[in-house]
Amino acid sequence: TYLVFPGAVHTRFEHSLGVYRLAGEAMNNLQKYQGNELGIDRIDVQTVKLAGLLHDIGHGPFSHLFEHEFLPRVNPGSTWSHEHMSALLLDSIVDKHSIDIEPDYLKVIKEMIVASSDVSTAEGVKEKRFLYDIVANGRNGIDVDKFDYIDRDCRACGIGSNFQHWRHSKICTVGQTDNAR
């Protein structure tokens, strides 16, 4: 794509930084307008931002083509997913570099990363369920992961877009039932 659209940069690195930034903005807005009501603390903000930064580290070569086309042909019946691999790599990074992180904190970050996948454990989460929808929303697909690549791809490829994700983040609130689910 860089030959067809020379201004386009489609790296996982830039995308992950963008998702990290958008996750932070979403959390800052939620904390500002509903922080007390929802019990959002500094750890919640950090957890969502880290999930955004690390959500795609498990992608194989050629991204989704590897996961959805190549792997099923060479290993039929495989349940491999980049989300699951991201969680495994995160464990490996923490172990290899002796990162001092609370096990429960790490567990929540990994659950947020796999929240939209078939292997999601987030459905069992009762407290602050809405946090699991910010980076990878498996319930309706509206999340900062998509906001970043839609905005980046449209801008880099010269395709117009009237979608203003920042408006969504500014006016987004958590309703009574969202908090309980």
Side-chain angles (χ1 to χ4, degrees):
T1 57
Y2 71 93
L3 295 175
V4 177
F5 302 104
V9 177
H10 301 281
T11 67
R12 289 278 166 214
F13 177 71
E14 286 195 4
H15 170 62
S16 293
L17 290 178
V19 175
Y20 171 83
R21 181 182 63 84
L22 293 177
E25 287 176 11
M27 287 302 295
N28 289 339
N29 286 324
L30 277 176
Q31 191 172 37
K32 179 178 179 180
Y33 297 110
Q34 286 187 288
N36 291 336
E37 172 189 347
L38 300 172
I40 297 173
D41 58 23
R42 180 182 61 82
I43 298 297
D44 293 329
V45 174
Q46 286 180 337
T47 303
V48 173
K49 288 170 66 175
L50 282 171
L53 182 65
L54 301 168
H55 77 286
D56 272 349
I57 61 173
H59 264 291
F62 303 109
S63 193
H64 293 281
L65 181 68
F66 176 79
E67 184 172 353
H68 299 296
E69 297 296 327
F70 176 76
L71 276 181
R73 291 178 191 205
V74 297
N75 188 9
S78 171
T79 59
W80 189 93
S81 73
H82 75 273
E83 294 94 350
H84 182 64
M85 183 55 68
S86 292
L88 291 173
L89 281 172
L90 184 52
D91 280 336
S92 176
I93 290 166
V94 167
D95 290 345
K96 180 178 181 180
H97 298 286
S98 302
I99 297 172
D100 185 23
I101 184 170
E102 291 291 325
D104 289 343
Y105 182 49
L106 181 62
K107 179 180 181 259
V108 171
I109 294 169
K110 293 187 303 185
E111 287 174 347
M112 287 180 179
I113 289 171
V114 301
S116 69
S117 74
D118 293 336
V119 295
S120 174
T121 57
E123 288 306 316
V125 173
K126 299 290 184 229
E127 190 177 329
K128 299 182 184 178
R129 173 65 178 97
F130 62 94
L131 294 176
Y132 292 75
D133 293 336
I134 294 171
V135 173
N137 190 331
R139 295 195 290 172
N140 63 26
I142 300 171
D143 54 48
V144 297
D145 179 30
K146 289 173 190 68
F147 293 172
D148 177 72
Y149 73 70
I150 289 169
D151 185 48
R152 177 184 317 285
D153 291 354
C154 288
R155 190 173 359 93
C157 297
I159 300 170
S161 171
N162 290 331
F163 178 64
Q164 298 169 337
H165 62 78
W166 58 269
R167 293 184 80 180
H168 179 273
S169 294
K170 283 216 184 283
I171 64 169
C172 188
T173 59
V174 177
Q176 197 85 0
T177 57
D178 291 332
N179 194 19
R181 286 191 282 167

